[in-house]
Structure formats: structure tokens, C-alpha cells
């Protein structure tokens, strides 16, 4: 792949990473880069991006139904009440990634976020969205960064508030997935115009 937008099976140009599986095509076309709001929805994305760290996104995407079932649809108030028995259940659940540090971070983050005011997570995350007018439109995958000043600032803000597993790369992946930035390539049909 050249890194430029490429034609999918339907002839539409897409970001080349989206063409390797049908799951990716659907995720790329219908979700990635679209604005996501709401504390629970953002908690889910933040948690899944943390679980993805060191793995391919397709692994997480294919297990997302299992994650949702295991983590009470990522409802912050529900996950915040999980007990040691729930933790043990999660660490034995083959439908998710059974990484102790990531499970513990998700539970700790939920407990912390349950103390925040409604909308506070949404406001904090979206306050780090860069001005679209100042961002160059990526032409190839080489033009898409892994970390930006904004993702570094978001990571620091989340860590300062006590959240875990929120490094700058994870923060940037969250920004991409939740539409804070539009990293669909210039010729991609999914790019917001």
C-alpha cells in the first residue's frame, strides 16, 4: 500500500488501513472520526483504546461485544460499583483482553469518573480538540501523526485528574476515534468536508 486512499470492494476511496477486513470497512465508514459525546460513550472509547495498547485495533473491535457485556456497557456508575469478585470474573473472561493492569485501570478510572459532575469528562476531552482550520489535511498515512501537542496536553490533563492508561498515543487514538480530529485522508469518502 502506498499510504494513499485506495479503492475498496465497492470502488469508493478509503484510508488504506480500512481495507484489510470487512470489520474495518464498517468501523471506518460508520464510526471512526465521527464526533462522540457523552461521558459513558467516551469512557468506553477511552477504556478500549487503553486495552488496545500494544495490540491491533481489530483485536479490540472484534471483542467489543464481549467488552460491553463484561463491563456493563461501560456505564460509569455501574462499573464504579464492581467488586473484587467482578475483577476476578473479568480476569477470567475469554471475551475480553485479560490484562490485569488494563482491567485494574478501567475499574479505577470508573470509580474516579463516578465522582465527576455529569458532562465533565466530555467537556475535558473536547476542550483539547484542535482547531480544524489550522490542521493540515493528511494526504497519505505518513501525514498522520501518532502524537500531537493536543494529545500530550489531554494525556497530562487526564493523568492530573487521576486517570490511568492515558498516555499521549492513547489520547491521540481517542481523539481520532471520537472525531476530535479528522484523520481520514484527503481523498477518503468518509472525510468530513
Amino acid at each position: 500500500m502506498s499510504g494513499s486512499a485506495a479503492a475498496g470492494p465497492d470502488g469508493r476511496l478509503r484510508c488504506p488501513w480500512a481495507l484489510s477486513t470487512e470489520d474495518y470497512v464498517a468501523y471506518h465508514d460508520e464510526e471512526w472520526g465521527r464526533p462522540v459525546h457523552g461521558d459513558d460513550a467516551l469512557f468506553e472509547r477511552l477504556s478500549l483504546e487503553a486495552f488496545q495498547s500494544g495490540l491491533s485495533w481489530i483485536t479490540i473491535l472484534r471483542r467489543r461485544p464481549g467488552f460491553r457485556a463484561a463491563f456493563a456497557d461501560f456505564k460509569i456508575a455501574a462499573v464504579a460499583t464492581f467488586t473484587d469478585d467482578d475483577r476476578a470474573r473479568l480476569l477470567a473472561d475469554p471475551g475480553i483482553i485479560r490484562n490485569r493492569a488494563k482491567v485494574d485501570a478501567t475499574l479505577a478510572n470508573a470509580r474516579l469518573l463516578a465522582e465527576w459532575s455529569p458532562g465533565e469528562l466530555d467537556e475535558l476531552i473536547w476542550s483539547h480538540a484542535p482547531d480544524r482550520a489550522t490542521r493540515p489535511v493528511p494526504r497519505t498515512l505518513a501525514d498522520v501523526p501518532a502524537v500531537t501537542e493536543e494529545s500530550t496536553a489531554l494525556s497530562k490533563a487526564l493523568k492530573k485528574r487521576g486517570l490511568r492508561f492515558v498516555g499521549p498515543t492513547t489520547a491521540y487514538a481517542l481523539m481520532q476515534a471520537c472525531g476530535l480530529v479528522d484523520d481520514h485522508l484527503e481523498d477518503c469518502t468518509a472525510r468530513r468536508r
Side-chain angles (χ1 to χ4, degrees):
M1 283 186 207
S2 69
S4 300
D10 59 1
R12 293 173 56 204
L13 292 176
R14 291 182 176 87
C15 301
W17 63 263
L19 300 176
S20 61
T21 72
E22 288 182 26
D23 294 331
Y24 267 162
V25 171
Y27 175 71
H28 170 272
D29 289 0
E30 299 164 18
E31 292 185 61
W32 192 75
R34 307 263 173 125
V36 173
H37 286 280
D39 293 341
D40 291 335
L42 289 166
F43 171 61
E44 175 183 0
R45 300 295 176 90
L46 186 64
S47 299
L48 293 177
E49 292 296 348
F51 273 102
Q52 185 270 328
S53 181
L55 302 170
S56 69
W57 179 246
I58 195 67
T59 301
I60 304 304
L61 188 60
R62 288 182 174 157
R63 291 184 186 205
R64 187 165 58 174
F67 275 106
R68 287 176 171 165
F71 284 98
D73 286 325
F74 290 96
K75 301 293 184 205
I76 294 168
V79 178
T81 67
F82 279 19
T83 64
D84 287 343
D85 288 342
D86 290 306
R87 180 180 179 270
R89 171 186 55 81
L90 292 166
L91 292 172
D93 188 337
I96 67 169
I97 304 302
R98 296 172 287 182
N99 178 295
R100 187 176 312 277
K102 294 174 183 180
V103 167
D104 288 347
T106 303
L107 299 179
N109 288 348
R111 289 183 194 109
L112 185 68
L113 292 170
E115 298 174 5
W116 291 21
S117 300
E120 195 171 348
L121 178 62
D122 188 300
E123 183 179 329
L124 175 65
I125 289 173
W126 277 90
S127 72
H128 289 82
D131 180 357
R132 282 188 66 186
T134 64
R135 285 183 50 86
V137 176
R139 297 181 64 125
T140 70
L141 292 179
D143 298 330
V144 178
V147 174
T148 63
E149 288 181 24
E150 294 88 358
S151 74
T152 300
L154 174 58
S155 171
K156 287 179 181 177
L158 292 168
K159 287 179 181 179
K160 184 176 181 181
R161 298 288 304 271
L163 291 166
R164 295 164 42 185
F165 252 97
V166 289
T169 303
T170 297
Y172 193 68
L174 174 75
M175 294 172 79
Q176 291 175 304
C178 295
L180 280 75
V181 296
D182 185 356
D183 277 344
H184 286 285
L185 301 182
E186 181 178 47
D187 295 332
C188 178
T189 58
R191 183 162 184 82
R192 295 180 307 227
R193 304 290 176 208

